[in-house]
Amino acid sequence: MPTPDLTATQPRPVYVIGAGPGGLAVAAALRARGVRAVVVEKSGSVGASWRGHYHRLRLHTTRRLSALPGLAIPRRFGRWVGRADVVRYLEKYAEFHELELITGVEVTRIERAGDDAPDAPGWTLHATGGRVLAARAVVVATGYNHTAALPDWPGRDTYAGELLHASAYREPGPYAGRDVLVVGVGNTGAEIAVDLVEGGAARVRLAVRTVPHLVRRSTAGWPAQRTGILVRRLPVRLVDRVGALVAKVSVPDLAAYGLPRPTTGLYSRVREGAIPVQDVGLIDAVRAGRVEPVAAVAAFDGDEVVLADGTRISPDVVIAATGYRRGLEGLVGHLGVLDARGRPEVHGARTAPTAPGLYFTGYANPISGMLRELARDAVKIARALARAERAGRTGRTGRTGRTGRTERTRRA
């Protein structure tokens, strides 16, 4: 198949960067409003990050509250949708909405359009293969978990043991019968630790730097996500007090096992970016002694791991569930739209005053559920772009009608 000339398509479309849930949702919402959107994805398929997650992973949000605009998640996927079914849903979503997808092309830099077309403001996208794409607006949706973040621990580079980031972990089979240290007690670290003990690891320790807030994923059929939706606009101090009371009733005190209750409020921590850990077996594993909380990692020394309390241990494997960076600096860092942590200063339907027509979605981790908020953002962004078009601020666009249900995917 010949490589398409991406710059020859007129009129200029809205380019959506990233074919994960956020990018697909925006593209579908735009198409529903008659605005042509082209999704550019650096990998070979939609949902690349979901394809790479560990096999055990399930949504911590309910099926009904995780659907993207215009297509429900099938009931047969269950209440807590598994990783593989999320991928299937994203594939079906792109096909159902007949989204224009260009795979195998990475956008590496976004710049304001030149002064040679003052009547048609917009953006210039530089992509792999020397491609230069003209867009009247851009939606950046490259994902919250974009670039694995591995702390620069002293001695890390000369560590004689096996060290990997959680992004490289898939399933517990390779670690059966081995001594494993999981570093980080967010949702990923907690779930991997449980996966390891259930998969036959000989010993699993969990290095804890900051004690997390543990919550039940569901209580008497009521999902924690719905509570998150209800409280997100309430005063922080009120939610902190209520959260502490609920925790005392629903979550046992694990202080004797090395996991005491946090001293900071649940919602205060959420506002700082720390999402509570939903229990998928960690509480029982800690109480049974199958997962052993230990102090945070301070350094590596030969084949030993030095913990913050001075303890030295020699695990066979260290799995670092230490989070991700957004990885936006090379793409838009020169535009002055990122904060000190490398996250967009504004997101959703708002744009920075210095960057009209440049939108971001999916760069927060809300207590109300990532997919739910991506879906809401998509509708708001599409509405804003359609309104801007009517006002003549982003140029004209052609309308696309639905002529079938065959995914129009091009590989460059």
Side-chain angles (χ1 to χ4, degrees):
M1 179 177 179
T3 300
D5 181 0
L6 305 185
T7 64
T9 303
Q10 293 295 332
R12 292 177 303 161
V14 173
Y15 277 102
V16 179
I17 305 174
L24 297 179
V26 169
L30 285 169
R31 195 171 195 280
R33 289 180 173 269
V35 178
R36 182 169 177 239
V38 177
V39 182
V40 183
E41 167 59 41
K42 69 176 182 179
S43 73
S45 56
V46 303
S49 64
W50 276 94
R51 295 175 191 274
H53 285 315
Y54 51 95
H55 298 171
R56 175 196 178 95
L57 179 64
R58 289 184 174 273
L59 290 178
H60 289 170
T61 55
T62 66
R63 173 182 54 80
R64 294 186 64 183
L65 293 176
S66 301
L68 302 180
L71 185 66
I73 299 176
R75 291 177 59 88
R76 69 178 182 276
F77 289 172
R79 192 183 198 195
W80 311 104
V81 184
R83 177 199 63 86
D85 284 331
V86 171
V87 172
R88 294 185 185 98
Y89 171 68
L90 295 178
E91 291 173 339
K92 181 62 178 178
Y93 191 83
E95 177 186 348
F96 179 83
H97 288 291
E98 296 183 331
L99 302 182
E100 287 192 67
L101 300 173
I102 299 169
T103 60
V105 174
E106 180 180 6
V107 177
T108 56
R109 187 177 176 88
I110 301 172
E111 295 178 339
R112 295 179 181 86
D115 297 329
D116 55 338
D119 60 332
W123 298 89
T124 299
L125 281 59
H126 298 271
T128 50
R131 300 171 178 85
V132 179
L133 315 178
R136 69 175 183 279
V138 180
V139 182
V140 181
T142 52
Y144 188 84
N145 295 338
H146 184 273
T147 304
L150 194 63
D152 189 19
W153 289 298
R156 188 195 75 184
D157 293 339
T158 58
Y159 177 56
E162 182 179 348
L163 170 64
L164 67 150
H165 189 270
S167 59
Y169 177 86
R170 295 293 177 270
E171 49 92 19
Y175 311 98
R178 305 178 75 184
D179 183 337
V180 185
L181 172 67
V182 179
V183 184
V185 68
N187 279 291
T188 296
E191 192 156 0
I192 287 177
V194 173
D195 199 32
L196 287 165
V197 297
E198 293 180 354
R203 185 176 189 180
V204 177
R205 283 173 282 202
L206 184 60
V208 180
R209 183 182 63 175
T210 303
V211 179
H213 285 273
L214 297 175
V215 299
R216 299 290 187 182
R217 185 167 64 176
S218 179
T219 303
W222 179 265
Q225 181 189 9
R226 286 201 177 274
T227 301
I229 294 170
L230 292 175
V231 306
R232 63 178 308 191
R233 301 195 184 280
L234 294 178
V236 174
R237 293 180 64 183
L238 173 62
V239 180
D240 283 348
R241 288 197 294 268
V242 173
L245 292 174
V246 172
K248 288 183 178 180
V249 173
S250 62
V251 177
D253 186 357
L254 301 176
Y257 304 94
L259 208 59
R261 295 189 188 280
T263 57
T264 54
L266 183 151
Y267 203 35
S268 294
R269 292 276 298 278
V270 168
R271 297 293 289 271
E272 296 170 358
I275 296 298
V277 173
Q278 293 198 17
D279 178 45
V280 291
L282 180 66
I283 292 174
D284 288 344
V286 169
R287 296 178 76 182
R290 302 178 70 193
V291 171
E292 307 168 46
V294 297
V297 170
F300 291 86
D301 185 10
D303 60 355
E304 292 184 323
V305 179
V306 184
L307 303 181
D309 62 2
T311 302
R312 289 173 173 262
I313 60 177
S314 299
D316 299 318
V317 184
V318 177
I319 300 175
T322 47
Y324 296 80
R325 295 189 297 271
R326 312 295 83 81
L328 292 169
E329 288 79 6
L331 188 66
V332 297
H334 55 287
L335 297 174
V337 295
L338 303 179
D339 64 18
R341 295 186 298 173
R343 301 183 183 189
E345 291 186 337
V346 296
H347 59 87
R350 296 186 299 148
T351 62
T354 57
L358 179 62
Y359 298 84
F360 296 88
T361 184
Y363 296 99
N365 194 11
I367 194 172
S368 51
M370 174 73 81
L371 292 181
R372 177 182 183 270
E373 296 308 319
L374 286 176
R376 291 164 61 88
D377 270 359
V379 173
K380 294 175 183 177
I381 291 171
R383 184 184 301 128
L385 274 167
R387 185 185 307 119
E389 172 153 331
R390 288 194 300 271
R393 293 196 296 268
T394 57
R396 296 182 59 81
T397 180
R399 296 185 65 88
T400 55
R402 299 191 63 158
T403 58
R405 291 192 175 176
T406 302
E407 180 183 0
R408 294 187 290 175
T409 305
R410 295 176 289 176
R411 173 138 189 139

